Amino acid sequence: MGDLTTERSSQTGTAPVLVASNRGPVSFGTADDGTLTLRRGGGGLVSGLSAIDDPDAVWVCAALGDADRRAAREAPDGRLDRAGHDVGGQAVRMLDMDPATFARAYNGVANSTLWFVHHLLYATPTAPSFDAGFRTEWQAYTAYNAAFADALAAEAAPGAAVLVQDYHLSLTPALLRAARPDLRIGHFSHTPWAPPEYFRLLPDDVAEAVLTGILGADRAGFLTRRWALAFADCCEQLLGATVDRTALTVTLRGRTTRLGVHALGADADFLRERAHRPDVDERLATLREAVGDRRTVVRVDRTELSKNIVRGFQAYRHLLRTRPEWLDRVVHIAFAYPSRTDLAEYRDYTAQVQQLAAEINAEFATPSWQPLILHVDDDFPRSLAAYRLADVALVNPIRDGMNLVAKEVPVVSDRGCALVLSREAGAYAELADDALTVNPYDVIATAEALHSALTMPAGERADRTKRLAAASTALPPQQWFLDQLHALHALDAGGDTADPGPGPGPRPVNEAG
Ligand code: F6P
């Protein structure tokens, strides 16, 4: 990891565009013979960055495990591309973090603290408790953010655009600005933002550092206007910043940061093509056999506390208990793939999900009917097969930055699906009109929404699905990325608007839905 005591280099790099995120586009494993094996990741950012056709663009990311660390150590300055790895369209600089520092920053601060704050996940009678252990973690988080700032400063060409991602890197924009005031810096939050009364659970200095860290950016991007305004509220109430809610700006000590709203959409072309490959067809046949001619309620999530899987199952159980007409006529397909398993809360949550699924099957199953099919291992083609089969999609998070599953199922489903959607998901802002919306804490209302979704007339379902798919694909990942880049560049011309709309770049994927 970068030695924080060394002088920052006064030399600049050559990258005109940079992205920084904790998780990078590639990860490594170790083969039986000891050689490194490379795996490319997917997701909105990977797809978004593919819009940049510039081999000088650099993605800075952290080494997440031992094999990543080895790859980063063996590459000159962590530049995987220079070590001969096939990392995709852009160069990748992977940061070889000391494992303890990384664990404290990622598990301790990012995932156990900031994630919990933004998703309102604490059981407040006992947590959080910011003790000496937290202070050690906070120090690590600061060092981790500084390592990113150092690497970005070293790679960036004069005047380059830098797009810093998410809650892992909330301090990096201000640190980077101090080192390289010539850069155009954007920060993007992929999570919700907590309301001030919850955000101020954080120790005062930590809350201030997170807010001023992001305000070090020229633009701070959010998935919805609701999250952008929550950030502005925090800046106003905790820092005394001046907020313009029409222009979407926050001004602190004479510097103005513009807020942007960029509602990441589903990648229609990719999904439609991928969902019809033989590996998906194969899994679809297996699922069809298990389901028979029954209706399906489908959910696909990381096994993540904020996804509200337990209450989703409780709602399904309530449906079966109170509406016996659904006995033997519906199957709930739930895929909850592993996530953040280093954290005890996530392991406990997975156990709770499995326990409740077993109880539901024990209560209702017959020799020929399994009411709930749960898988807790990751299988992307199987998830796409479930999307295709979905009559109803259940997306009921406690709180979610966007929730792309809500946007993906309508694009992929074969016969059209009814969407039961939490009003606390970012996707609600665009999909509420054609979804059946629920309070995620209200299990009975969720059960009723499932019933309405299951009984929705086919014509209405098809119409709604068409509109849901169109709304879901309005801003595909590549355009989402280009819009942010154009908005950053527009600042030089003094022309940025809070919500930039389509940039001049091509819209590369089919938007018709
Ligand atoms: O929603 C925020 C986010 O960082 C996503 O971008 C990502 O899909 C998810 O959390 C998973 O996080 P992790 O890298 O911890 O698995």
Side-chain angles (χ1 to χ4, degrees):
M1 174 176 146
D3 179 354
L4 303 177
T5 58
T6 52
E7 283 289 300
R8 289 204 169 95
S9 162
S10 58
Q11 293 203 323
T12 59
T14 54
V17 177
L18 301 94
V19 166
S21 65
N22 173 65
R23 190 178 288 279
V26 294
S27 60
F28 291 87
T30 311
D32 290 344
D33 64 0
T35 55
L36 289 170
T37 54
L38 179 145
R39 192 174 159 267
R40 290 220 202 141
L45 206 50
V46 171
S47 170
L49 195 61
S50 69
I52 303 292
D53 188 17
D54 187 336
D56 288 330
V58 174
W59 189 327
V60 178
C61 61
L64 306 183
D66 288 340
D68 279 7
R69 278 187 280 273
R70 187 181 134 202
R73 240 184 344 262
E74 288 174 4
D77 290 329
R79 281 287 295 266
L80 302 176
D81 48 302
R82 291 187 183 146
H85 295 295
D86 179 13
V87 289
Q90 74 296 304
V92 176
R93 177 162 171 153
M94 190 175 259
L95 304 182
D96 172 24
M97 303 269 173
D98 152 55
T101 304
F102 174 75
R104 287 178 184 130
Y106 174 68
N107 289 322
V109 176
N111 289 343
S112 296
T113 306
L114 298 180
W115 182 271
F116 272 55
V117 167
H118 288 316
H119 292 84
L120 320 183
L121 292 178
Y122 285 118
T124 51
T126 51
S129 180
F130 295 111
D131 54 11
F134 174 75
R135 285 293 157 180
T136 309
E137 290 169 344
W138 179 248
Q139 248 174 10
Y141 181 81
T142 307
Y144 160 99
N145 272 258
F148 270 85
D150 285 348
L152 291 164
E155 295 284 354
V162 186
L163 294 157
V164 180
Q165 308 299 312
D166 238 352
Y167 60 102
H168 315 90
L169 298 176
S170 55
L171 309 183
T172 297
L175 294 168
L176 183 57
R177 171 168 301 285
R180 291 287 305 274
D182 60 302
L183 302 178
R184 280 291 177 219
I185 305 171
H187 183 276
F188 195 87
S189 291
H190 294 257
T191 62
W193 197 273
E197 55 278 17
Y198 205 86
F199 189 75
R200 54 168 31 123
L201 289 179
L202 290 169
D204 292 353
D205 61 316
V206 170
E208 184 178 335
V210 168
L211 295 173
T212 55
I214 292 176
L215 290 178
D218 298 290
R219 291 185 90 249
F222 296 87
L223 288 163
T224 67
R225 191 176 166 82
R226 180 181 176 194
W227 311 141
L229 290 176
F231 174 78
D233 291 345
C234 287
C235 292
E236 188 176 59
Q237 293 185 35
L238 277 73
L239 303 177
T242 305
V243 169
D244 182 332
R245 287 179 177 74
T246 310
L248 279 185
T249 58
V250 177
T251 304
L252 182 70
R253 296 191 274 273
R255 251 201 90 246
T256 295
T257 300
R258 287 176 184 275
L259 308 185
V261 178
H262 303 270
L264 178 63
D267 193 340
D269 280 356
F270 164 75
L271 285 169
R272 291 195 178 117
E273 187 277 323
R274 185 67 189 86
H276 287 86
R277 288 203 207 155
D279 58 348
V280 177
D281 288 337
E282 213 175 276
R283 287 157 176 81
L284 184 59
T286 309
L287 284 175
R288 273 213 183 102
E289 206 177 302
V291 168
D293 59 0
R294 301 176 185 93
R295 294 292 176 97
T296 57
V297 175
V298 167
R299 73 174 305 140
V300 176
D301 309 274
R302 289 186 296 113
T303 312
E304 160 58 54
L305 279 58
S306 61
K307 301 295 181 186
N308 209 21
I309 303 169
V310 169
R311 286 194 194 83
F313 284 2
Q314 289 169 345
Y316 181 62
R317 180 172 63 187
H318 188 79
L319 175 82
L320 297 180
R321 280 180 180 169
T322 56
R323 296 208 178 253
E325 66 265 37
W326 288 115
L327 296 177
D328 202 18
R329 285 192 52 223
V330 64
V331 175
H332 188 7
I333 298 172
F335 297 158
Y337 58 87
S339 182
R340 303 183 187 166
T341 48
D342 285 344
L343 299 182
E345 286 96 333
Y346 283 67
R347 294 195 299 273
D348 294 348
Y349 189 69
T350 305
Q352 233 180 309
V353 165
Q354 288 173 305
Q355 169 71 24
L356 185 51
E359 282 173 25
I360 290 171
N361 280 327
E363 185 172 342
F364 298 104
T366 66
S368 58
W369 175 51
Q370 183 180 340
L372 198 161
I373 297 173
L374 169 68
H375 288 297
V376 293
D377 59 323
D378 191 4
D379 186 337
F380 183 58
R382 190 181 56 203
S383 297
L384 291 176
Y387 285 6
R388 284 183 56 187
L389 194 60
D391 292 309
V392 174
L394 175 57
V395 178
N396 65 325
I398 288 170
R399 205 168 157 86
D400 211 329
M402 173 55 72
N403 198 297
L404 278 182
V405 173
K407 292 185 163 184
E408 289 168 353
V409 186
V411 175
V412 171
S413 87
D414 281 345
R415 292 171 309 198
C417 72
L419 175 64
V420 175
L421 178 65
S422 164
R423 66 191 186 197
E424 305 305 325
Y428 175 89
E430 296 157 278
L431 306 186
D433 286 353
D434 285 296
L436 302 173
T437 59
V438 292
N439 168 354
Y441 299 93
D442 190 338
V443 166
I444 294 173
T446 305
E448 278 308 298
L450 287 176
H451 175 71
S452 305
L454 284 163
T455 49
M456 187 182 284
E460 181 184 346
R461 202 169 84 165
D463 288 347
R464 284 187 189 232
T465 303
K466 222 178 273 170
R467 290 192 295 266
L468 286 169
S472 296
T473 53
L475 187 58
Q478 297 194 338
Q479 196 61 42
W480 169 83
F481 183 84
L482 288 175
D483 284 356
Q484 292 175 65
L485 202 57
H486 292 141
L488 258 191
H489 287 312
L491 290 174
D492 293 322
D496 182 35
T497 59
D499 198 348
R507 283 193 175 264
V509 304
N510 172 18
E511 288 170 85

